[in-house]
Amino acid sequence: MDTIYGSNNWKLTFLRMGEGVTVLRALTCDTDAALPESLGGAPVTALGARALAPDAPSTQGEELTIVGAPCSAEWDNRALRTLALPPRLRSVGDYALMNCRALKAVRLSDLPISWGTGVLMN
């Protein structure tokens, strides 16, 4: 697993798909976070099914840890309050934010996004 420095703390699993990147799993210990705009030089264009769901199983893909400010909380998206999605995101998979119970705001770009089923369930 590679580690880089960024503005937020993330443990990411992703796949390069064509011209973009699909985030398959994303965990943070931050309460206010922004997903990276790009990974490995390619724009983040999709969130997979259950990508940020706290109880989602691990999955296969490239792994990356992004280290931001020191983090004293657990790596559990249940405490996530605000989330900024990348501006080139075009697809959000089924149940991508399921059980992120503290989530109060999601920031989006003004471009169209295809939304899966139950993205904000619970």
Side-chain angles (χ1 to χ4, degrees):
M1 180 182 297
D2 291 331
T3 301
I4 62 171
Y5 294 96
S7 57
N8 292 117
N9 295 290
W10 288 104
K11 291 181 181 179
L12 301 168
T13 304
F14 63 95
L15 288 176
R16 297 168 199 264
M17 313 247 333
E19 302 272 328
V21 169
T22 297
V23 174
L24 302 174
R25 186 82 175 105
L27 284 171
T28 187
C29 57
D30 298 330
T31 56
D32 302 294
L35 279 167
E37 292 185 17
S38 64
L39 294 169
V44 173
T45 57
L47 286 180
R50 300 183 69 186
L52 282 97
D55 53 352
S58 60
T59 187
Q60 296 293 320
E62 293 183 57
E63 295 182 345
L64 176 67
T65 298
I66 301 174
V67 178
C71 185
S72 60
E74 290 185 43
W75 290 84
D76 184 346
N77 294 339
R78 285 179 183 89
L80 186 62
R81 290 187 313 223
T82 64
L83 176 65
L85 297 177
R88 294 187 60 190
L89 190 76
R90 295 296 161 263
S91 174
V92 178
D94 296 342
Y95 308 105
L97 298 167
M98 183 174 78
N99 293 329
C100 293
R101 296 180 195 272
L103 193 62
K104 301 292 181 207
V106 177
R107 283 176 281 185
L108 313 165
S109 71
D110 57 355
L111 298 174
I113 298 175
S114 173
W115 295 92
T117 302
V119 170
L120 296 168
M121 185 179 213
N122 296 336

